Amino acid sequence: MFEAVEELIGEHADLEKQLADPAVHADQANARRLNKRYAELTPIVTSYRSWRQTGDDIGTARELAAEDPDFAAEVKDLEKQREELTERLRLLLVPRDPSDDKDVILEVKAGEGGEESALFAGDLLRMYLRYAERVGWRTEILDANESDLGGYKDVQVAVKAKAGHEAGQGVWARLKYEGGVHRVQRVPATESQGRIHTSAAGVLVTPEAEEVEVEIGPNDLRIDVYRSSGPGGQSVNTTDSAVRITHLPSGLVVSCQNEKSQLQNKESAMRILRSRLLAAAQEEAEREASDARRSQVRTVDRSERIRTYNFPENRISDHRVGFKAYNLDQVLDGDLDAMIQACVDADSAAKLAAAGDAS
């Protein structure tokens, strides 16, 4: 492990020299790339230097403890500190997802369960908006298709990290684990007999692409405009402001009608389309490398769930990592950290195990 660190320290020093050269900043794209890599390596270099220094301090403390037993406690404290630094280094050296710094487009879709599923989709949307608010992210609803009772048939929202976040700690690094089928067990608002029903909603999370990352030719698109409509089919406005974009090579179709301006709807639809095309390209590349992306929503079927929200027991369960807690009310109010961290830890452990098997 530490042989690899020595190589990274050399790369870090080389990047530092390059970034000190004013000529490098003439090419802004290259400067951003170098700065990003430098930021990724800095925590590794800092932790390694602390690990080395702690090793030297342990040696000194042991020599002193041989003469004065009072230094024995300091040796134990330093050894514990070094173990913690060793574990931090191991985690920092886990192969990173290249999209971890990216913002995301998150989509919630109602599935089985009719109006109850749409209401649950609305609950999930509020949960993610509250979580984003807690951690200081910005959100922007790109498009929404409301149901008659105030839920959502489907809704897309852009989630952006605050400026200056730590390298590798963008929105995708946390929300990528949310993709999949979410199952709810509760007495629906539409249930007159008080019976518990099970329904589901799907969550799709894709890293938001920049224009330079996905090439879309002018002849690759068919753009249709039509009149926006709201719940029940009533007209929202009397102009053809809604936009439907079809990406002809892939068959992907994206529609937006949330804004009154046709131009704004087109821009929102293009953002969603670019993120989906980027996700599709990344998935294909990873399949070819036998390292497929974590499965997300294929069909919104109650049996294909990643998580269950049980209202009668106030219980939340993540079936992928065995996480279970009895604070569903707090989770739905945006307290997602413990559940997401369980997924992060399980993912890191799997990657560490895979790295160990490979070596």
Side-chain angles (χ1 to χ4, degrees):
M1 175 175 72
F2 298 113
E3 291 178 1
V5 176
E6 294 288 356
E7 293 180 9
L8 296 176
I9 288 174
E11 182 184 353
H12 185 265
D14 183 57
L15 287 167
E16 196 166 38
K17 289 179 182 177
Q18 291 185 60
L19 290 168
D21 182 357
V24 168
H25 297 274
D27 183 345
Q28 287 296 310
N30 184 49
R32 282 196 299 271
R33 181 182 61 80
L34 296 176
N35 265 308
K36 180 180 177 182
R37 181 59 176 164
Y38 183 79
E40 290 172 0
L41 294 179
T42 296
I44 299 174
V45 172
T46 302
S47 297
Y48 182 64
R49 287 172 178 165
S50 297
W51 180 84
R52 290 279 302 267
Q53 182 61 53
T54 305
D56 294 340
D57 292 344
I58 289 172
T60 302
R62 282 174 177 166
E63 291 177 6
L64 294 171
E67 301 175 4
D68 185 347
D70 289 342
F71 283 96
E74 186 175 347
V75 172
K76 289 184 179 179
D77 289 343
L78 287 168
E79 287 175 341
K80 181 180 179 182
Q81 185 179 341
R82 199 166 202 239
E83 288 176 6
E84 292 172 353
L85 285 167
T86 301
E87 183 59 24
R88 174 170 168 75
L89 269 173
R90 280 167 53 83
L91 291 174
L92 286 171
L93 290 170
V94 170
R96 288 185 60 246
D97 183 333
S99 294
D100 276 349
D101 283 315
K102 292 185 181 295
D103 299 325
V104 308
I105 290 179
L106 182 146
E107 181 174 359
V108 184
K109 298 175 70 71
E112 295 185 4
E115 281 292 344
E116 163 62 5
S117 177
L119 290 171
F120 179 50
D123 292 337
L124 290 177
L125 173 65
R126 179 182 179 277
M127 177 181 76
Y128 292 124
L129 294 178
R130 292 285 292 117
Y131 178 65
E133 182 182 341
R134 283 172 179 255
V135 299
W137 294 340
R138 292 182 292 112
T139 57
E140 174 192 358
I141 293 180
L142 300 175
D143 196 48
N145 184 7
E146 295 185 33
S147 68
D148 292 337
L149 296 184
Y152 287 92
K153 297 176 182 177
D154 61 82
V155 56
Q156 293 92 29
V157 56
V159 188
K160 295 183 174 294
K162 52 190 174 184
H165 63 270
E166 184 179 340
Q169 294 301 313
V171 182
W172 174 257
R174 304 291 287 178
L175 289 189
K176 62 183 173 183
Y177 303 103
E178 294 303 299
V181 176
H182 296 239
R183 183 176 68 171
V184 61
Q185 296 171 325
R186 66 181 176 187
V187 178
T190 55
E191 169 59 55
S192 59
Q193 303 293 323
R195 294 172 297 187
I196 296 173
H197 287 224
T198 298
S199 61
V203 176
L204 178 66
V205 188
T206 53
E208 184 161 7
E210 298 176 11
E211 287 191 50
V212 295
E213 293 180 294
V214 177
E215 293 185 9
I216 301 176
N219 297 324
D220 292 344
L221 303 177
R222 185 177 72 237
I223 301 176
D224 302 308
V225 296
Y226 58 98
R227 189 161 298 172
S228 301
S229 62
Q234 68 267 32
S235 176
V236 171
N237 56 53
T238 57
T239 61
D240 292 336
S241 60
V243 174
R244 180 187 300 110
I245 299 179
T246 303
H247 184 248
L248 300 174
S250 66
L252 282 173
V253 179
V254 177
S255 301
C256 276
Q257 62 173 12
N258 222 39
E259 305 293 340
K260 293 183 178 180
S261 159
Q262 184 183 119
L263 179 61
Q264 289 176 311
N265 281 325
K266 180 181 177 182
E267 289 176 351
S268 294
M270 285 299 296
R271 287 173 64 184
I272 296 169
L273 177 62
R274 280 195 295 268
S275 71
R276 289 184 182 175
L277 288 172
L278 176 64
Q282 289 174 334
E283 286 181 358
E284 179 62 28
E286 290 178 5
R287 275 196 297 270
E288 292 175 359
S290 300
D291 186 22
R293 181 180 300 285
R294 186 183 303 274
S295 174
Q296 291 197 23
V297 180
R298 292 298 173 263
T299 59
V300 186
D301 185 323
R302 287 177 295 221
S303 65
E304 295 185 1
R305 83 283 190 213
I306 63 163
R307 195 174 290 157
T308 295
Y309 302 71
N310 186 300
F311 277 70
E313 298 179 14
N314 197 35
R315 170 170 50 83
I316 181 83
S317 305
D318 193 294
H319 306 292
R320 298 163 298 178
V321 297
F323 177 89
K324 185 181 295 185
Y326 291 85
N327 64 337
L328 175 57
D329 51 343
Q330 296 174 37
V331 169
L332 288 172
D333 196 41
D335 188 4
L336 287 169
D337 276 326
M339 186 161 53
I340 290 177
Q341 191 59 48
C343 294
V344 171
D345 292 343
D347 191 22
S348 295
K351 288 178 178 176
L352 282 170
D357 291 342
S359 61

